[in-house]
Amino acid sequence: MRLKTRLIHGGIDGDPHTGAVSVPIYQVSTYRQEAIGKHKGFEYSRTGNPTRHALEAYIAEVEGGARGLAFGSGMAALSTVLSMFSKGDHLIVGDDVYGGTYRVITRVFSRLGLDATYVDTTNLSAVEAAVRPETKAIIMETPTNPLLNVSDIAALAEIAKAKGLLLIVDNTFMTPYWQNPLDLGADIVYHSATKYLGGHSDVVAGLVVAKEPKLGEELHFLQNAIGGVLGPQDSWLLLRGMKTLGVRMEEHEANTRTLAKWLAERNDIERVIYPGLENHPGHELMQKQARGFGGMISFDVGSGERADEVLSKVKYFTLAESLGAVESLISVPARMTHASIPAERRAELGITDGLIRISVGIEDVQDLIEDLEQALA
């Protein structure tokens, strides 16, 4: 089954009891049992719900893993994954991860005894050098948020396997339509499903997929024990949204390629960052490990003041924290998504006050170009 077909027919297709084409919303908390311990697969909706189960089976099939799990947000998903580790364990984390990832590791899990070293995951030697006896996992994004750095998933998987580590990959930006980290050797993939997977700015959710059944069982235990599960209504919205993932991602990318080339030709932009541009250092690697380049662009307009001007004048780009929706969104990471990262660290990474990040929607690309033209003028 090819990917576009799998997005329509994968997982649990419809409802066998009624013939409904769409999986029903099972808005229920508990289930009648025939006898103690004798039930029809569901006991209590924190442990399992039929609508959520359909979503979990679906994302596992689409990502090529053994088990999927759905959570109330991307951060709930990541926090549950981090709960696999114990006091004294050490993690290697990409140095250009989402600000919320940095925040939860440094300000929450550090208090519970987890230690982390932040490393440029594009530098394989630096990753190997950061491994300690107590290291348990490598956590990474590719492309990263917001600098769109590209790391070699297969090479990092080889390092992880040789050192006995888990490789955990945030696949939010690329989605399983363009990139499948589990096929490249990763052990766990997770998503802020709020973004491209939902795609319509109407649901907050997180998804995790484990490559192997044993790891999936461990994560399900933690999901049930901690309880940050996704409700049935939001599970249904996500199932519905993902049906159109293929056509949306192709339109996102087509618009993004056009917009990135247009920005790169301007002389009033300091830098344009998009892996689909041939001058991007990760361009060839992306061609090797992914089927596309995604719908995110970052570009530097030179100063925070000019960034504010642009944001105040755009009409079709919505100033918002999120990304991956059908409408185009715009933000300044230094003061929004990555404000929790210390200013000196942002400066080291190159997240300047003038860096603008856009999530290119599926509007007519000429309208988007004209909108940015008048805002930049």
Side-chain angles (χ1 to χ4, degrees):
M1 192 188 301
R2 294 170 179 82
L3 190 51
K4 270 190 180 176
T5 307
R6 192 179 305 131
L7 286 167
I8 304 298
H9 297 289
I12 296 170
D13 199 8
D15 177 29
H17 303 293
T18 64
V21 174
S22 174
V23 173
I25 300 171
Y26 286 89
Q27 193 68 52
V28 58
S29 61
T30 193
Y31 307 82
R32 180 184 289 118
Q33 299 187 28
E34 296 176 28
I36 296 173
K38 187 179 180 182
H39 51 76
K40 297 179 180 179
F42 298 95
E43 305 167 74
Y44 186 63
S45 277
R46 171 168 42 79
T47 309
N49 171 280
T51 314
R52 192 177 84 234
H53 173 66
L55 171 63
E56 292 173 334
Y58 179 51
I59 189 61
E61 182 173 334
V62 172
E63 276 287 16
R67 183 146 196 178
L69 304 112
F71 299 85
S73 69
M75 291 312 303
L78 175 60
S79 296
T80 302
V81 171
L82 291 171
S83 297
M84 292 192 301
F85 305 108
S86 303
K87 181 180 179 180
D89 286 349
H90 172 251
L91 307 173
I92 296 170
V93 185
D95 64 357
D96 180 28
V97 290
Y98 165 56
T101 301
Y102 179 87
R103 178 176 59 232
V104 78
I105 293 173
T106 58
R107 298 182 62 182
V108 178
F109 282 90
S110 63
R111 302 202 319 253
L112 305 178
L114 279 187
D115 191 17
T117 300
Y118 293 87
V119 176
D120 176 3
T121 52
T122 68
N123 185 337
L124 299 177
S125 298
V127 172
E128 284 197 271
V131 177
R132 306 176 188 170
E134 63 272 22
T135 304
K136 301 298 181 184
I138 301 168
I139 300 175
M140 59 172 289
E141 300 172 5
T142 184
T144 59
N145 180 9
L147 296 175
L148 302 173
N149 293 314
V150 179
S151 298
D152 191 329
I153 298 172
L156 287 164
E158 288 183 11
I159 293 171
K161 186 176 181 180
K163 303 289 185 179
L165 313 178
L166 292 176
L167 178 61
I168 302 166
V169 180
D170 182 342
N171 201 30
T172 299
F173 272 22
M174 293 305 290
T175 82
Y177 190 71
W178 289 136
Q179 179 174 272
N180 299 106
L182 299 182
D183 291 344
L184 296 168
D187 299 287
I188 295 172
V189 62
Y190 70 98
H191 297 265
S192 173
T194 310
K195 313 304 194 296
Y196 286 110
L197 298 187
H200 294 79
S201 298
D202 57 7
V203 63
V204 175
L207 294 175
V208 174
V209 181
K211 178 69 174 176
E212 300 298 334
K214 184 177 179 182
L215 195 53
E217 281 298 318
E218 183 179 354
L219 285 165
H220 179 253
F221 168 81
L222 291 167
Q223 179 193 41
N224 184 50
I226 297 169
V229 297
L230 190 64
Q233 179 80 29
D234 288 343
S235 295
W236 183 86
L237 282 170
L238 205 47
L239 280 166
R240 184 191 65 170
M242 286 181 66
K243 298 288 187 183
T244 60
L245 181 65
V247 291
R248 285 190 287 106
M249 293 309 294
E250 290 184 359
E251 191 70 11
H252 282 302
E253 172 147 334
N255 281 356
T256 307
R257 282 173 178 265
T258 301
L259 204 53
K261 289 177 181 177
W262 177 80
L263 284 167
E265 291 170 357
R266 296 181 65 92
N267 57 16
D268 60 346
I269 304 292
E270 291 196 0
R271 57 176 172 153
V272 179
I273 309 170
Y274 179 58
L277 294 174
E278 291 184 3
N279 65 354
H280 188 286
H283 179 76
E284 290 186 9
L285 177 56
M286 281 285 281
Q287 288 182 309
K288 176 184 173 184
Q289 71 181 15
R291 295 176 291 275
F293 298 100
M296 302 297 298
I297 304 173
S298 293
F299 61 102
D300 200 323
V301 296
S303 69
E305 292 76 19
R306 188 166 185 233
D308 286 343
E309 281 188 40
V310 172
L311 267 59
S312 70
K313 292 177 180 176
V314 288
K315 299 174 182 177
Y316 300 132
F317 287 85
T318 302
L319 177 61
E321 290 271 0
S322 194
L323 60 99
V326 290
E327 63 272 2
S328 293
L329 304 176
I330 191 166
S331 66
V332 176
R335 285 174 286 159
M336 296 175 72
T337 55
H338 290 66
S340 59
I341 296 176
E344 60 274 13
R345 183 63 183 146
R346 292 199 304 266
E348 289 174 12
L349 294 171
I351 304 173
T352 65
D353 289 345
L355 187 74
I356 293 174
R357 188 193 74 181
I358 56 175
S359 169
V360 182
I362 62 171
E363 303 93 339
D364 189 298
V365 72
Q366 290 305 314
D367 286 325
L368 299 179
I369 288 173
E370 289 170 11
D371 192 23
L372 281 180
E373 173 71 60
Q374 62 84 25
L376 288 164

